[in-house]
Every structure is written in structure tokens, then in C-alpha cells.
Amino acid sequence: MIILMIIDFFNLLMKLSESYKDNLLPGYTHFQVAMPSSFGMWFSAYAESLIDDIHLLNAAVKIVDQNPLGSAAGYGSSFPLNRTMTTQLLGFDDLNYNVIHAQMGRGKTELILSFAMASIANTLGKLATDICLFSNQNYNFLKLPIEFTTGSSIMPHKKNPDIFELIRAKSNQIQNLPQQTMGVCNNLTTGYHRDFQLLKETVFPAIKNLKDCLRVTTLALKKIEVRKDILGEKKYEYLYSVEEVNRLVLKGISFRDAYKTIGMNIENDNFTFDKNISHTHEGSLGNLCNNQIKQKMNKIYQQFDFEKIENQIAKLTLSNIEIHNAFDDEIISELREHLATVRNDDSLRALLLQADGKHFCAGADLAWMKRMAQHSEEENLKDARQLAGLMSDLYNLAIPTVASV
């Protein structure tokens, strides 16, 4: 699952942040040296960015977790369906009540998911770009594991970050997914259109590519090497200019005058600085708030009700296992004959569809199925009147399941 892969990646980033929180590196704006940063801040920044991405993914889950069954072609059915029952049986959080709205979920579902995927890809793509930049010889902030680099056909010294270049490119493709989805669906009216079929050509490969990018990025960062004492180089001296401005301000000088003083010192090649910096506010060099970031992630992660989903899957799976185990060959043979009668007898099928009991679950009421296999057609008609809310969706689900055992 994508969410679990993100959690693993998040945990790795937080671990790296703690390990390298005291390793300083230059911060950049406009691709120019700006202010001191740290690997601890850099790693945890991407970890916290993943939380934003998971919020979007959670929103997509909540919107998709609505039962569309029974909407048929988008205008409902004349059968007296019990759509609430299928919602409960399949573990949906709620129901798409309006059947036209349910059908409008086609395309919209893919679009909502694509926005969440694009957000995750944006985080991965930005990280990949940073790594490509930080690992080249001019920056030399970090070293990639050799198995995640490639050589050159003619330059023996090269160790190219091809893996992260491909992750960057794949991430850009995924970020284009919402536009591709809208391009297919934007001018469609309500109701089904064959255009929707084309969404599979982009959405499914994008899901696979996103998983691959998450997996490979996690593997590579487990072996990444961080360089120490980066800020000792002379070219990074001006990183401390803001610190010197702030020192003057704390002494009572106005920011305007302090800014002008330090600026003139730099212009006159007379800039001096103190490398001992103290940042204490939340999220700064000296106070990364990693514990709070972990709590923030845990809070959104708890909103994914995996236990409910797993329990419902287990319940449905158990029902199918019970069906397969409960019938011996003789009963199955008789059952097939009676089911064939049901399919071919309009009056019996209508009674089944209109049955007014409360305990029938598709493929789960073994006692009734056995009675159906053993009793006469008249007795089965009587039993049918006792069944609960048997709608066409469940009927069509139950019959093939048992008949094909």
C-alpha cells in the first residue's frame, strides 16, 4: 500500500534527521548561498512534507469510500434493492445515495486520487533534484551509494545520479496525471461514456511508478553518506551575514542600520562573523521539533481505518471459505440443479428478489443453501419468503460463487 510505503520513508527521514541534526550545510535562495541550514533540518523538512501529502491521500480515501453499487447505469434499478446492506457487507464508510452522483464518480475518483499522487510525486521529485545537486563535485554535500549510480561510456571518473534523475522524471510524469485525467473527462456529460476506459492507461501505470519511486528512494537513502564540516570553506562565510545583523539588532541598533553596516563590511571585504549561532524557536536549527512532527504524522495516520478494512476483507474471505468447505460433491451437484431452476424460473427468481427476511448474506447463509439443495421447489418457495433484502447485486454475487465451487 502506498500509505505504508510513505510511513516507512517518513520514519527513515526522521531517523536521518536525528542522526545528522548537528551537521550543517548551506541554505540557498535563488541558487545562491543564503543562511545556515543542517541535514537534520533538510531531512525532516521532507518528512513533514509527506504529512501534507498523506492529508490529500486521506481525503481521496474518504471520498472514494462510498458505495456506488446499485446505481447500475447511473439511473438506478426497478428492483427493490437494499443498497444499505451492500454498504455494510462490503465495509464502505457511507453510500453514494444519488445514483447519478454515484455514476459521476467515474473519472472524478481517478482525478481526486491523481491529485494526491501528484502531491507525493512533488515531494519525491524535489528531493531527487536536491540529491542530484548536492552529490555533484561542485557541492559535494553527500555521497550516493555506488550501486545507485552509473558510469559513463567514455569518462571513467563519472558516477552519475541516474537513479534520482529517473525518479525526478517519473515524479514529473505523475504530477501531470491530474491534467491527463481532466483532459479525458472535462467535457463529458452525466452518465457513462467509453472515454473513461482510457483512464486505466494512465492511472494504473502511475500507481506502479509512484510505488517504485518510493521504494527506490527509501533504499538509496538508507546508504547515503553525509559530508561533515561543509561550512568550513571560505565561500560559505557570507552565510553568517544575517546572524551578524541580528546580533547588532539585539544590541539596540535598528534593523535598517544593522543591515547597512554589515552590507558595507561585506562590500569592503571587512566582514567578520561568529560561527556560534543559536536558534531556539520551533522548527529552527536548534529546535527541529522532530517529536512534534512524529506526533503530527501519527495523528493523520490514525485516520486511516485499516482495521475496519482488514476485518471486512477477512469476514468476506471467511464466508467464501465456509461455502467451499461446507458443501460436499453430492450437495454441490444438487445445488447446481436447483440453482439452474432458480435462474430459469421467473416466478421463483422474483420471489427471491422480493424476499422480506433479515439475515441473508450473499454466499454466507449455509443453512438456507443446504435446504435449497435438499428441499422441493415448493419448500424452497416458502423459504424464499423468509429471506432478507435479497437484491439483484447480492443474488448475482452469491449464485456464481456457489455454483462454481
Side-chain angles (χ1 to χ4, degrees):
M1 298 174 68
I2 290 176
I3 176 64
L4 298 182
M5 298 178 73
I6 293 175
I7 294 299
D8 287 342
F9 185 37
F10 171 86
N11 290 335
L12 174 62
L13 289 171
M14 295 306 295
K15 181 180 178 180
L16 292 170
S17 176
E18 283 297 320
S19 298
Y20 299 113
K21 61 184 178 182
D22 296 323
N23 290 60
L24 299 183
L25 79 159
Y28 290 84
T29 63
H30 307 278
F31 282 103
Q32 299 193 45
V33 168
M35 293 177 63
S37 179
S38 72
F39 279 105
M41 186 183 293
W42 183 66
F43 282 122
S44 66
Y46 281 104
E48 191 168 7
S49 181
L50 289 173
I51 300 175
D52 299 335
D53 302 333
I54 290 183
H55 274 289
L56 287 178
L57 193 60
N58 186 46
V61 170
K62 288 183 180 298
I63 293 172
V64 171
D65 193 14
Q66 302 178 84
N67 182 17
L69 294 178
S71 61
Y75 302 98
S77 171
S78 58
F79 288 125
L81 307 180
N82 187 339
R83 298 185 63 216
T84 299
M85 177 184 283
T86 59
T87 300
Q88 296 169 348
L89 289 174
L90 297 176
F92 282 101
D93 185 62
D94 207 339
L95 179 66
N96 273 323
Y97 293 98
N98 187 299
V99 291
I100 294 180
H101 171 248
Q103 191 61 232
M104 288 166 62
R106 293 180 182 270
K108 188 176 184 180
T109 296
E110 290 86 346
L111 180 61
I112 293 168
L113 174 61
S114 70
F115 278 120
M117 292 172 59
S119 182
I120 300 167
N122 177 267
T123 299
L124 289 174
K126 187 180 290 291
L127 175 62
T129 300
D130 277 358
I131 291 175
C132 289
L133 192 68
F134 291 176
S135 62
N136 78 33
Q137 293 90 335
N138 293 324
Y139 285 79
N140 195 26
F141 296 162
L142 50 81
K143 182 179 179 181
L144 295 175
I146 191 169
E147 59 268 34
F148 287 89
T149 63
T150 61
S152 165
S153 57
I154 62 172
M155 295 172 283
H157 68 281
K158 296 294 289 295
K159 289 182 175 62
N160 300 317
D162 286 16
I163 298 298
F164 283 98
E165 289 175 338
L166 290 173
I167 289 172
R168 180 176 58 194
K170 290 289 186 181
S171 296
N172 287 338
Q173 288 181 330
I174 295 169
Q175 289 180 80
N176 193 43
L177 184 62
Q179 187 61 44
Q180 290 178 290
T181 304
M182 287 187 286
V184 171
C185 305
N186 266 359
N187 61 348
L188 300 182
T189 59
T190 53
Y192 178 75
H193 302 275
R194 181 63 70 179
D195 309 51
F196 294 124
Q197 183 171 323
L198 299 182
L199 296 176
K200 297 177 176 63
E201 298 177 2
T202 55
V203 174
F204 292 163
I207 293 173
K208 180 183 182 301
N209 287 338
L210 182 59
K211 289 181 177 180
D212 289 343
C213 288
L214 282 166
R215 185 179 299 110
V216 173
T217 303
T218 302
L219 287 173
L221 288 189
K222 286 180 178 179
K223 299 183 178 182
I224 203 166
E225 296 180 25
V226 168
R227 182 183 160 203
K228 299 179 180 180
D229 302 321
I230 296 173
L231 300 193
E233 298 181 33
K234 184 175 177 57
K235 61 184 176 182
Y236 297 126
E237 289 181 352
Y238 294 153
L239 282 169
Y240 298 94
S241 66
V242 176
E243 300 298 323
E244 295 306 314
V245 170
N246 291 345
R247 290 184 205 281
L248 295 179
V249 171
L250 291 174
K251 292 178 180 179
I253 301 174
S254 70
F255 184 86
R256 179 190 295 272
D257 291 339
Y259 183 96
K260 184 183 296 184
T261 298
I262 298 301
M264 291 302 297
N265 289 343
I266 291 173
E267 287 293 323
N268 296 327
D269 197 22
N270 191 31
F271 176 64
T272 59
F273 60 93
D274 184 352
K275 287 188 176 182
N276 295 315
I277 56 178
S278 176
H279 291 190
T280 59
H281 68 74
E282 296 88 343
S284 64
L285 278 174
N287 184 13
L288 295 179
C289 293
N290 281 349
N291 287 334
Q292 289 87 334
I293 292 174
K294 291 177 182 177
Q295 292 171 7
K296 191 177 178 182
M297 171 61 89
N298 186 59
K299 183 178 179 180
I300 180 63
Y301 179 71
Q302 293 301 321
Q303 294 183 31
F304 290 85
D305 196 350
F306 295 112
E307 184 176 357
K308 173 187 174 184
I309 298 171
E310 291 169 356
N311 288 342
Q312 200 60 37
I313 292 174
K315 181 179 178 181
L316 292 171
T317 303
L318 180 60
S319 295
N320 286 331
I321 293 174
E322 288 176 345
I323 291 171
H324 283 69
N325 293 340
F327 292 95
D328 56 33
D329 292 340
E330 183 178 353
I331 291 180
I332 290 173
S333 178
E334 294 180 15
L335 181 58
R336 282 175 176 155
E337 294 179 9
H338 283 278
L339 292 177
T341 302
V342 172
R343 294 193 193 96
N344 297 324
D345 190 316
D346 292 339
S347 61
L348 178 56
R349 189 163 59 250
L351 278 171
L352 285 171
L353 292 171
Q354 297 173 20
D356 190 29
K358 292 185 178 179
H359 302 292
F360 185 81
C361 171
D365 196 331
L366 304 182
W368 179 79
M369 286 295 191
K370 289 180 178 179
R371 286 201 305 273
M372 186 174 183
Q374 297 169 354
H375 290 183
S376 65
E377 183 174 328
E378 290 75 15
E379 290 172 316
N380 286 332
L381 285 171
K382 181 179 179 180
D383 288 339
R385 295 185 179 93
Q386 300 175 3
L387 297 178
L390 179 57
M391 72 294 289
S392 59
D393 295 272
L394 287 179
Y395 175 75
N396 290 330
L397 176 65
I399 298 305
T401 299
V402 179
S404 61
V405 175

